[in-house]
Amino acid sequence: MNICVIGAGYVGLITSLAFAKMGNNVTCVEKNIKKIDSLNNGIPTIYEEGLNDLLIDCLEKKAISFTSELDASVKKSDIVFIAVGTPSLDNGEVDMNQVYESINEISKCINRYKIIVNKSTVPVGSQKYVKDILIKNGVPCDKFDVVSNPEFLREGKALYDVFYGDKIVIGYESQKSRNIMNLLYKPFNIPIIFTSPETAELIKYTSNAFLSTKISFINEIANLCNKVGADIDTVALALGLDKRISPEFLKPGIGYGGSCFPKDTMGLISIGEKYDCPFEIVKSAVSVNNKQRVIPVDILLSEYADIRDKTITLLGLTFKSGTDDIRESPSLYIIEELLKRGAKINAYDPMVSDEIKEIYPDINYFNSMNGSILESECIIICTDWEEFRDIDLDFVKDNVKEAFIIDGRNMLSLDEAKKRNIKYYSIGKGYTN
Ligand code: UGA
C-alpha cells in the first residue's frame, strides 16, 4: 500500500520503517530539514538497536523516503498515519496542537478515499474530534475514515516490539477501514484487537498507567524491604511467578521516567477529572514515583548534613539503558536536588547526548566510568546500563573518598561491598550499617 507517516520522531520513524520492511511504499513527512537529510542519507536520528541496518535496507529497496512535502505525500497515499508529538501541558492535559495542525493540512489534500490513523497517544474522544475537524474543513464524509491505532513499543526494544509485539489495537467505525487496516497488519502475524475508537484510545492509557502503578507498587515494597531486612528480588520473583501477575515490570529502582509513563499517567488523571472519575490509584503511583526518583538524595542527606562542595558521581543519565533519551529521567531530578544544595557533579553515561550538556553545562562529563569516579565522594547509579555491574570495587575503595555507593538500580552486590568496607545502599536489597 501507499502509506504516509507524518512525524519522524520515535514512533513515526519506527512505524514508517516497519511498514516499508513489510513491502509497502512509505513516505515519512517531517518538518525538520536536518532530520530529513540525515534519514535520507541513511543516518538514524535516534539511537535504537538495529535501526541503522533497517533504515539502509529500506532506503536501498526504495521502500521509504523522507520529505517535508506533506501535500504530495498525502495525495498519493491510501493511509495517512499521524505520529506527531503530543507533549503534556503544565496541567497534565495533552497538547494536541501538532495533531490539529496536521489534520488541517491533511484536509486540503484529500483527493480520494483515505484512512487517517491516530498513532500518537491522544486523549479519549480524539478520533471523533479529528473526524469533526475534517468535516468542518469541508472534506466529504465518504472520502475518509479516522482510525485509532495506538503504539505499544518500548524505546531500546522498538524494532523487536514492532515486529513481534503482543498485540495490535485498532479502533474503527466503518467496515471498509477495518478491512484495509486488517490487510496492512495481517503480515505482521500479531494478534489484532478490533474495537471502537474510544476503547482503543483508552487501552493505551490503561496499559501505561497500569505498568507505572506496578513499578510504584514494587518500589514501595522495596523501600519496606530495606527497613525490615527482607529481599525485594525474592519478593518480586515469588509475586511474579503467580501467572495472574507476571514477572515483568517488577524491577525496583529510583522510579520510572521517559516520554511515556510520566506523560500518560498525568494524561489519564486529567481525562479522569474531565469525566468526574478521579484516578486515586494512578495519582498515588505518580506521587510514589516523584519521591522515589530522589531517594538517593534523601540517603545522602541522612549521611551528611551538608553536601555543599561534595563531589557526587552519577553513573547513568538516560531514563533507562538501551536509549540515549533523557526525557523525564530520574537522574535529572537528582541533578536538580544536588545542584540546589551546592554539590559538585561528575557524570558518566555510555550514551549521553549533547542535549544534557547544554542543559547542565556545569556538570563534569566523563568518557569513562573510572574517570568519573576519581576524586569523588559518593557514587549514585541512576541507570541500569550493564557495564555498571562490572564496576571495579577495589578501584572505588581506593579512589572514592567516602567509598559510598547508592545503587539506584540494584546492579551490585551488598556482600561484595561489605567485603571491601564500602558503604553501600540498594533499593530493597539491603545496605551496610
Ligand atoms: C513504555 C511502554 O513500556 C511501551 O509499551 C509504550 O509503548 C511506551 O511507553 C509508549 O507509550 O510509547 P518506554 O517508555 O520506552 O515504553 O520504556 P519502558 O521500558 O516501559 O520503561 C519505562 C520506565 O520504567 C524506565 O524508566 C524504566 O527504567 C522503568 N522501569 C521499567 C522500572 O523502573 N522497573 C521495571 O520493572 C520496568
Side-chain angles (χ1 to χ4, degrees):
M1 290 184 206
N2 287 314
I3 292 177
C4 170
V5 177
I6 300 183
Y10 225 100
V11 170
L13 181 57
I14 304 289
T15 305
S16 301
L17 289 167
F19 289 136
K21 178 76 184 164
M22 297 310 261
N24 299 286
N25 206 344
V26 181
T27 314
C28 184
V29 180
E30 167 63 49
K31 281 189 174 152
N32 184 327
I33 303 290
K34 263 195 193 158
K35 264 193 192 178
I36 296 171
D37 287 346
S38 172
L39 292 166
N40 276 329
N41 286 315
I43 304 162
T45 42
I46 50 170
Y47 171 76
E48 188 67 41
E49 208 186 327
L51 185 60
N52 210 338
D53 292 346
L54 181 61
L55 175 63
I56 288 170
D57 181 40
C58 292
L59 285 169
E60 276 174 4
K61 289 187 177 129
K62 299 205 182 325
I64 196 163
S65 63
F66 300 90
T67 174
S68 59
E69 297 286 314
L70 183 135
D71 190 289
S73 312
V74 170
K75 279 185 178 150
K76 68 175 183 198
S77 298
D78 310 304
I79 309 179
V80 182
F81 281 83
I82 299 172
V84 294
T86 48
S88 282
L89 293 168
D90 286 344
N91 62 3
E93 269 179 44
V94 177
D95 180 351
M96 293 285 285
N97 274 327
Q98 293 182 55
V99 174
Y100 297 154
E101 215 179 285
S102 306
I103 294 298
N104 284 330
E105 287 186 55
I106 292 168
S107 300
K108 298 174 206 151
C109 317
I110 310 263
N111 51 347
R112 58 184 164 85
Y113 174 81
K114 291 180 199 303
I115 299 179
I116 318 293
V117 185
N118 270 342
K119 193 76 178 156
S120 307
T121 301
V122 288
V124 181
S126 294
Q127 182 269 358
K128 280 217 157 40
Y129 204 79
V130 163
K131 199 170 136 186
D132 288 347
I133 299 179
L134 285 157
I135 293 170
K136 229 184 271 167
N137 286 346
V139 183
C141 285
D142 61 342
K143 286 279 185 290
F144 73 91
D145 270 306
V146 182
V147 162
S148 164
N149 172 215
E151 187 51 68
F152 300 99
L153 56 82
R154 294 162 294 175
E155 288 185 24
K157 301 263 183 336
L159 294 185
Y160 176 86
D161 287 347
V162 82
F163 292 113
Y164 305 101
D166 298 327
K167 62 187 182 260
I168 287 164
V169 172
I170 302 202
Y172 73 102
E173 281 184 312
S174 81
Q175 192 60 37
K176 184 175 178 181
S177 62
R178 175 186 167 136
N179 293 345
I180 297 173
M181 293 303 286
N182 188 38
L183 266 182
L184 176 69
Y185 274 116
K186 222 173 159 193
F188 285 82
N189 214 10
I190 295 173
I192 305 179
I193 295 173
F194 285 104
T195 184
S196 70
E198 293 78 10
T199 308
E201 287 160 350
L202 190 55
I203 287 170
K204 170 71 188 196
Y205 282 99
T206 308
S207 295
N208 278 359
F210 188 82
L211 291 170
S212 306
T213 306
K214 228 179 151 181
I215 296 169
S216 279
F217 183 85
I218 205 67
N219 279 340
E220 279 203 305
I221 301 288
N223 296 341
L224 178 66
C225 281
N226 266 7
K227 301 228 156 126
V228 300
D231 175 56
I232 190 60
D233 279 357
T234 317
V235 173
L237 173 73
L239 184 68
L241 282 176
D242 187 323
K243 288 189 187 64
R244 293 166 299 178
I245 297 172
S246 124
E248 299 294 318
F249 280 72
L250 289 178
K251 214 162 84 192
I254 51 169
Y256 59 78
S259 67
C260 307
F261 286 179
K263 173 169 85 85
D264 294 350
T265 42
M266 295 312 289
L268 187 60
I269 290 167
S270 139
I271 294 168
E273 269 157 17
K274 189 169 157 200
Y275 292 96
D276 202 16
C277 292
F279 283 110
E280 300 302 344
I281 292 175
V282 185
K283 281 184 196 164
S284 298
V286 172
S287 111
V288 168
N289 198 58
N290 291 347
K291 290 189 209 128
Q292 195 72 16
R293 61 194 180 194
V294 290
I295 269 188
V297 181
D298 298 340
I299 297 166
L300 259 183
L301 294 175
S302 68
E303 285 287 326
Y304 314 109
D306 189 2
I307 56 170
R308 192 182 316 263
D309 292 331
K310 276 198 184 297
T311 303
I312 316 294
T313 294
L314 302 188
L315 292 183
L317 296 168
T318 55
F319 83 96
K320 63 172 182 178
S321 59
T323 174
D324 59 355
D325 197 343
I326 55 160
R327 283 177 289 178
E328 285 297 315
S329 177
S331 63
L332 304 184
Y333 291 89
I334 294 172
I335 290 172
E336 290 289 340
E337 292 299 320
L338 293 178
L339 292 179
K340 217 163 45 189
R341 289 173 173 79
K344 292 183 180 146
I345 302 176
N346 286 355
Y348 167 68
D349 187 295
M351 270 294 171
V352 70
S353 58
D354 288 339
E355 193 186 343
I356 194 160
K357 294 185 182 165
E358 277 165 31
I359 310 174
Y360 298 110
D362 294 334
I363 290 179
N364 294 315
Y365 298 91
F366 289 82
N367 294 327
S368 74
M369 180 156 62
N370 280 355
S372 72
I373 287 169
L374 274 176
E375 301 294 316
S376 85
E377 275 149 280
C378 172
I379 297 169
I380 303 176
I381 301 181
C382 298
T383 312
D384 55 343
W385 288 105
E386 272 308 307
E387 68 173 278
F388 298 157
R389 285 193 200 284
D390 301 329
I391 190 168
D392 182 344
L393 290 178
D394 295 318
F395 184 83
V396 171
K397 180 68 193 158
D398 293 342
N399 293 288
V400 177
K401 280 186 205 152
E402 303 279 346
F404 185 12
I405 303 178
I406 300 170
D407 187 354
R409 296 291 171 188
N410 291 357
M411 306 295 285
L412 309 178
S413 139
L414 172 65
D415 288 342
E416 292 299 318
K418 270 186 186 161
K419 262 189 230 164
R420 291 166 179 87
N421 225 359
I422 288 175
K423 216 187 294 175
Y424 176 81
Y425 203 105
S426 73
I427 310 291
K429 289 193 63 61
Y431 54 95
T432 55
N433 289 309

